[in-house]
Amino acid sequence: MSAISFPGKVVALSGGIGGAKLALGLDRVLAPGQLTVIANTGDDFRHFGLHISPDIDTLLYTLSGLDDPVRGWGRRDETWTFMRAMGELGRESWFQLGDGDLAIHVERTRRLAAGETLSGITDFLSRQLGIGSVIVPMSDDPVATQVDTEEGRLDFQQYFVRRRCEPRIVGLDFAGADEARLASGAAAALADPDLALIVICPSNPYLSVDPILAVPGLRAGLRAARAPVVAVSPIIAGQAVKGPTAKMMMELGLVPSAATVARHYAGLIDMFVVDEADAGMDADMDAGAGVRMVAAPTLMRTLDDRTRLARIVLGLAGERA
Amino acid sequence: MSAISFPGKVVALSGGIGGAKLALGLDRVLAPGQLTVIANTGDDFRHFGLHISPDIDTLLYTLSGLDDPVRGWGRRDETWTFMRAMGELGRESWFQLGDGDLAIHVERTRRLAAGETLSGITDFLSRQLGIGSVIVPMSDDPVATQVDTEEGRLDFQQYFVRRRCEPRIVGLDFAGADEARLASGAAAALADPDLALIVICPSNPYLSVDPILAVPGLRAGLRAARAPVVAVSPIIAGQAVKGPTAKMMMELGLVPSAATVARHYAGLIDMFVVDEADAGMDADMDAGAGVRMVAAPTLMRTLDDRTRLARIVLGLAGERA
């Protein structure tokens, strides 16, 4: 868990829970300021009039150690009095906001109303919580992930939380992405001459990473960077560690495998880290997609798992496909 | 505590804690819909970006039975996780917002931003909490009580909560009152042909009742109503039951007594209910200010105290000074 000497900067692209695990590992083994995490904001929405950025919040809580290790989301030592009181007022309860969690939403909403950017607010929150890495939203402009299902189009949180990913997906749209400007902090991190590695965290490629990649300038920034790009598979032996990735892939007509994810990122990444359970697919992919496959223990149950995987990923910095 | 048969409607003017005690007594002995409480909104302010209406909230919690009987303000069974989390974010903690209490502020703020009126929102909250009486703000327009002290001008909450009423008062101003329009529900209640009694609750006359009286049309509405106006003294034997009333009066060069309060309301009220401890002043006031003095047990410690005083006050409906 001690810091390593790593020669350069690192950029990580991350969604929420799954990606944040590797982001935490990277944060713990790198020195303060070495890591910049570009966070998905396609899941952002307003609830009860408050601006909620679920993936940024998960990164803030995970990297500050405030996350709840048992529930797997939100803050530790959380209470739920607000939601009970909202219930008395007849308000819906499908999206649970903890009492402590509210602080970030209330503070963010107030600052946005006062004209601050999501980047500036995220930086403020991050510093207040003592986080040494930099967390930047992919954009300060609104991007809204829309899920087209057999029941029609759903806002992301309606699909993900309210409907628990039950409706069959037929497609995805990142509304606003075409007009969104890459956040200046994200652009600067990708253009940093000290950049030594770019990591695509094991988040859902379709729901969490694609919205980031959809922001104009992001893909070009990855290609222009001289640092290698390494993605870590969110699929182990055909199963998602958590969440609906495998189910979604099947609904989209894709074989739910690490190889499918590697092909999804082909052209963008140099290396793909798969779990040792999937090591057999190496040869195919190397030949077919120009991506070098690296087998490693990718299941991250403990903090040691996270830092070990982070070290393995960082060890790929000097290599190219 | 059972309802009485009272022939007509009642309007009560009330601030927070002290006034809400009598409002509760009136609410409990009258039938649903008979009582309209016109609430002071001069204390309203924004905190953490949320619109807070302290006196309306106190009335909502008191009349719904959600009030904390031990602490004397806020909600019962309250938790404070939000404030702790705000502390982690470096935000000030002088104004304590409980986790359950936040529900009303968040809901009100969202609805105001959506263009709803404070009256409409207060009515919604009141119904959701099962309150049979009607609570209306004095105005849907902003009025801000400003306290001029020896240290300069302070916003009301800065003076009242943050500075605990310590700075010496030299004057008061109700900013915006001249332009504020009397809330339509308040105007309608005062013009109701069934109106049988108007009660000025035992709130601080200078901080809580004067802002209501400062709204154009309110005084005229009281005078035009054929119902008698009864005020209940917030001062017992030279002391305020709670809060800074007596201290303020001395700083303003006034003798802190029930008689001084009666003179303050002279010309506006027909009867003034004083505590039995102050019964000796009757003769003077009757002669000097044209106000009929009524002695009664005005200290309200229990719910029975509140309903007993409410019955006494309601019993004055058929009388004139």
Side-chain angles (χ1 to χ4, degrees):
Chain A
M1 213 177 128
S2 60
I4 60 171
S5 175
F6 182 82
K9 301 284 187 68
V10 177
V11 164
L13 275 49
S14 179
I17 310 294
K21 290 181 182 177
L22 181 56
L24 173 63
L26 292 166
D27 174 81
R28 286 295 184 273
V29 300
L30 291 166
Q34 269 190 302
L35 172 67
T36 296
V37 184
I38 301 176
N40 170 41
T41 58
D43 302 0
D44 287 21
F45 73 123
R46 282 203 164 243
H47 194 52
F48 301 144
L50 302 171
H51 183 105
I52 300 172
S53 297
D55 288 355
I56 289 177
D57 293 343
T58 295
L59 286 161
L60 288 169
Y61 293 146
T62 303
L63 267 55
S64 66
L66 286 174
D67 58 311
D68 188 307
V70 179
R71 205 187 320 114
W73 57 272
R75 285 174 61 107
R76 64 175 66 217
D77 303 324
E78 189 59 284
T79 58
W80 305 93
T81 309
F82 171 79
M83 288 304 299
R84 279 196 297 276
M86 273 300 203
E88 290 166 5
L89 299 182
R91 296 308 313 273
E92 68 267 43
S93 60
W94 61 272
F95 196 90
Q96 292 281 312
L97 290 177
D99 299 329
D101 189 34
L102 272 171
I104 273 186
H105 310 313
V106 166
E107 184 69 6
R108 177 186 291 125
T109 304
R110 184 185 67 78
R111 287 173 178 260
L112 283 171
E116 294 186 38
T117 63
L118 186 59
S119 289
I121 296 163
T122 304
D123 190 55
F124 164 81
L125 294 171
S126 188
R127 285 168 193 268
Q128 285 293 331
L129 297 179
I131 295 170
S133 299
V134 177
I135 302 172
V136 293
M138 63 196 199
S139 177
D140 288 320
D141 301 318
V143 177
T145 297
Q146 304 281 307
V147 185
D148 289 317
T149 75
E150 289 189 340
E151 304 176 19
R153 175 163 281 208
L154 295 173
D155 289 340
F156 177 76
Q157 297 298 343
Q158 294 281 338
Y159 166 79
F160 193 73
V161 178
R162 189 167 209 167
R163 301 298 313 279
R164 298 165 188 275
C165 307
E166 285 168 8
R168 264 183 89 88
I169 285 192
V170 295
L172 288 159
D173 184 44
F174 310 119
D178 289 349
E179 295 78 39
R181 291 158 297 178
L182 187 60
S184 61
L190 288 171
D192 190 325
D194 290 337
L195 183 62
L197 185 68
I198 298 169
V199 182
I200 298 179
C201 289
S203 294
N204 185 314
Y206 312 95
L207 283 178
S208 301
V209 179
D210 278 0
I212 305 176
L213 298 175
V215 178
L218 198 291
R219 282 176 180 271
L222 292 193
R223 285 194 204 96
R226 290 194 311 181
V229 182
V230 177
V232 176
S233 177
I235 299 283
I236 299 180
Q239 299 291 325
V241 175
K242 189 176 183 304
T245 310
K247 172 179 182 289
M248 278 188 53
M249 291 174 76
M250 284 190 281
E251 291 170 3
L252 292 170
L254 301 167
V255 177
S257 70
T260 305
V261 176
R263 267 181 222 105
H264 182 72
Y265 290 138
L268 200 67
I269 63 174
D270 300 293
M271 285 166 277
F272 191 65
V273 177
V274 297
D275 194 74
E276 289 162 336
D278 294 310
M281 68 186 241
D282 285 26
D284 272 10
M285 286 300 303
D286 275 7
V291 174
R292 181 182 150 203
M293 309 302 281
V294 178
T298 63
L299 190 63
M300 294 178 281
R301 294 198 189 282
T302 67
L303 181 57
D304 278 349
D305 292 341
R306 291 160 174 71
T307 54
R308 184 181 59 225
L309 182 57
R311 287 168 199 274
I312 292 169
V313 169
L314 291 171
L316 302 171
E319 310 185 25
R320 278 275 179 185
Chain B
M1 212 177 131
S2 59
I4 59 170
S5 176
F6 181 80
K9 300 285 186 68
V10 177
V11 164
L13 275 50
S14 180
I17 311 294
K21 289 181 182 177
L22 181 56
L24 174 61
L26 292 167
D27 173 81
R28 287 295 184 274
V29 300
L30 291 167
Q34 269 190 300
L35 173 67
T36 296
V37 184
I38 301 176
N40 171 41
T41 58
D43 301 1
D44 287 23
F45 73 124
R46 281 203 165 243
H47 194 53
F48 301 144
L50 302 172
H51 182 104
I52 299 172
S53 297
D55 288 354
I56 289 177
D57 294 344
T58 296
L59 286 162
L60 288 170
Y61 293 147
T62 303
L63 268 54
S64 66
L66 285 173
D67 58 312
D68 187 309
V70 178
R71 203 188 322 112
W73 56 271
R75 284 173 62 106
R76 64 174 67 217
D77 304 325
E78 190 59 287
T79 60
W80 304 94
T81 309
F82 171 79
M83 288 304 300
R84 280 196 295 277
M86 273 299 202
E88 290 166 5
L89 299 182
R91 296 309 311 273
E92 69 268 40
S93 59
W94 61 271
F95 195 90
Q96 292 281 311
L97 290 178
D99 299 329
D101 189 33
L102 272 171
I104 272 185
H105 310 314
V106 167
E107 185 69 6
R108 176 186 291 124
T109 303
R110 184 185 66 78
R111 286 172 179 260
L112 283 171
E116 294 186 38
T117 63
L118 187 57
S119 289
I121 297 162
T122 304
D123 190 55
F124 164 80
L125 295 170
S126 187
R127 286 168 192 269
Q128 285 293 333
L129 297 179
I131 296 170
S133 299
V134 177
I135 302 172
V136 292
M138 63 196 200
S139 177
D140 289 320
D141 301 319
V143 177
T145 297
Q146 303 282 306
V147 185
D148 288 318
T149 76
E150 288 189 341
E151 303 176 21
R153 174 163 282 209
L154 296 174
D155 289 339
F156 177 77
Q157 298 297 344
Q158 295 281 337
Y159 165 79
F160 192 73
V161 178
R162 189 169 209 164
R163 301 297 313 279
R164 297 167 189 275
C165 308
E166 285 168 9
R168 265 183 89 88
I169 284 193
V170 295
L172 288 159
D173 183 44
F174 310 119
D178 290 349
E179 295 79 39
R181 290 158 297 177
L182 186 60
S184 60
L190 288 171
D192 190 324
D194 291 336
L195 183 61
L197 184 70
I198 298 169
V199 181
I200 299 179
C201 290
S203 294
N204 185 314
Y206 312 95
L207 284 178
S208 301
V209 179
D210 278 0
I212 305 176
L213 298 175
V215 177
L218 198 293
R219 282 178 181 272
L222 292 193
R223 285 197 204 95
R226 290 193 310 180
V229 182
V230 178
V232 177
S233 177
I235 298 284
I236 299 178
Q239 300 290 325
V241 175
K242 188 174 185 304
T245 310
K247 172 178 183 289
M248 279 187 53
M249 290 173 77
M250 286 190 279
E251 292 170 4
L252 292 170
L254 301 167
V255 177
S257 69
T260 305
V261 177
R263 267 182 223 106
H264 183 72
Y265 290 139
L268 201 68
I269 62 174
D270 301 292
M271 286 166 275
F272 191 64
V273 177
V274 296
D275 194 73
E276 289 162 337
D278 294 312
M281 67 185 241
D282 285 26
D284 272 10
M285 285 300 303
D286 275 8
V291 174
R292 178 179 153 204
M293 310 300 281
V294 178
T298 63
L299 191 64
M300 293 178 282
R301 293 198 190 284
T302 65
L303 180 57
D304 279 347
D305 293 342
R306 291 158 174 72
T307 53
R308 184 180 58 224
L309 183 58
R311 286 168 199 274
I312 291 170
V313 169
L314 292 172
L316 300 172
E319 310 186 25
R320 277 275 178 184

